[in-house]
Amino acid sequence: MVVGFLVLAVVSQWSKVADADLRFEPLWLLAAIPPLMLYQVLQAEIALVVLRRLGYPIRPPRGRTIYGFALLARYVPTGALVFALRIGMNEREGVPKKASSVALVYEIALGLAGASVAAIPLLPQVGAALLIAAVLPVAGVALLHPAPFAHVTSRLLRRAGREPLDEVLPFGAVVMFVLANAFTFWLAGVSLLCTLLAITPVDAGDMVGVIAAFGLGFITGIVGFALPGGLGARELGLVTGLSAVIPAPIALAVAAIARLIQTGVELIYAGVVTAHDRAARRRTEKAAVTRSG
């Protein structure tokens, strides 16, 4: 299922690129890969640290593998497979379902708040239509304060017949994670800027707006979670943000190319962390055999 929908996702984006009359600068496309890979690595580490702060650490190589599997599962429609996969695989590592569920809620909420912070530089370009985005970081951080968050999650868990969570993130950690997420979105925005430079020159004054557009794309991608990998919804956010500084046809082509690059990066990340996890397990098993011998 994942492979099938992944192929459909690539084909859908490639058709948009193929229809555009573009000139490619390969070096800029290559330059777009490292910041996007760093973004992916840091996003996974943030997820592991959130789970650890909730009192349920997972062995890092295994945790990264679980995150990598879930990245690919995003391309299956409805997005439900992502949550089922993360919760099920975490449970095998000793993490209760309720802890995984709360950690995922934290990830989404912290990501949305961080993306809102990252998208703030776009506000002067997009005008009053998106001024509401300016209050999202404040509202998001306020809702993630331990007092309201613990109250809401406890009520929901009790209604689901489960005990309340033992730990919630302290407010200082919430702020730190929001800022860390914003930083990762700016990294991905640098990748987006390199992708744009690969097909057209960019004025220096527009570069900040291009970098900030990735955060807006993340927000709309979360809203459109029912689509495989947020396809269409994420691109809508990117095109909306990019259109404030570049022509819409170029913005559409950049969004499609950026999706192709991100898909490739996610495949590479998932493959590398899975190989590393297997190698680590083999070393552990060999060491255990040596000690027993």
Side-chain angles (χ1 to χ4, degrees):
M1 287 177 65
V2 170
V3 172
F5 283 109
L6 191 59
V7 170
L8 289 176
V10 171
V11 170
S12 68
Q13 300 305 299
W14 178 254
S15 63
K16 296 175 185 177
V17 178
D19 290 340
D21 184 16
L22 304 173
R23 293 183 178 180
F24 290 98
E25 294 288 342
L27 290 180
W28 278 116
L29 285 180
L30 290 176
I33 296 175
L36 192 59
M37 181 62 77
L38 183 56
Y39 156 81
Q40 202 61 76
V41 169
L42 291 178
Q43 282 282 300
E45 296 307 307
I46 289 173
L48 290 178
V49 174
V50 167
L51 201 55
R52 187 180 307 124
R53 292 297 296 267
L54 291 175
Y56 295 97
I58 293 181
R59 188 172 54 88
R62 187 58 183 163
R64 294 175 190 128
T65 297
I66 293 171
Y67 189 90
F69 270 69
L71 278 179
L72 304 186
R74 291 190 305 114
Y75 289 92
V76 178
T78 76
L81 184 59
V82 175
F83 301 105
L85 188 63
R86 289 277 295 276
I87 291 172
M89 295 183 76
N90 283 349
E91 191 175 23
R92 294 181 182 180
E93 303 301 315
V95 181
K97 290 181 180 179
K98 67 174 183 179
S100 291
S101 300
V102 173
L104 287 169
V105 171
Y106 264 123
E107 282 182 45
I108 295 171
L110 292 168
L112 286 172
S116 300
V117 172
I120 283 177
L122 270 176
L123 291 179
Q125 284 87 5
V126 299
L130 291 178
L131 280 179
I132 190 173
V135 304
L136 287 179
V138 178
V141 172
L143 290 173
L144 288 171
H145 189 280
F149 187 83
H151 177 70
V152 172
T153 54
S154 295
R155 290 189 63 180
L156 292 175
L157 286 169
R158 286 195 183 97
R159 287 187 178 184
R162 300 182 185 278
E163 291 296 321
L165 194 66
D166 298 327
E167 296 285 342
V168 294
L169 294 180
F171 188 65
V174 167
V175 174
M176 179 191 69
F177 283 127
V178 169
L179 295 177
N181 271 291
F183 174 72
T184 67
F185 292 127
W186 283 324
L187 276 175
V190 171
S191 174
L192 188 65
L193 175 61
C194 292
T195 304
L196 178 59
L197 288 170
I199 62 175
T200 186
V202 182
D203 293 336
D206 294 333
M207 290 184 176
V208 172
V210 173
I211 292 172
F214 192 91
L216 185 58
F218 177 86
I219 294 171
T220 56
I222 291 294
V223 174
F225 72 94
L227 300 173
L231 286 171
R234 174 181 175 275
E235 279 64 35
L236 174 63
L238 285 181
V239 172
T240 300
L242 291 172
S243 296
V245 293
I246 61 175
I250 297 295
L252 180 61
V254 170
I257 297 170
R259 167 63 75 175
L260 294 174
I261 295 174
Q262 185 169 0
T263 301
V265 166
E266 289 172 351
L267 286 168
I268 293 171
Y269 176 84
V272 169
V273 296
T274 301
H276 179 255
D277 180 32
R278 289 177 178 174
R281 281 189 290 175
R282 282 197 295 268
R283 287 195 298 269
T284 300
E285 292 169 359
K286 185 180 294 185
V289 170
T290 302
R291 286 195 299 269
S292 62

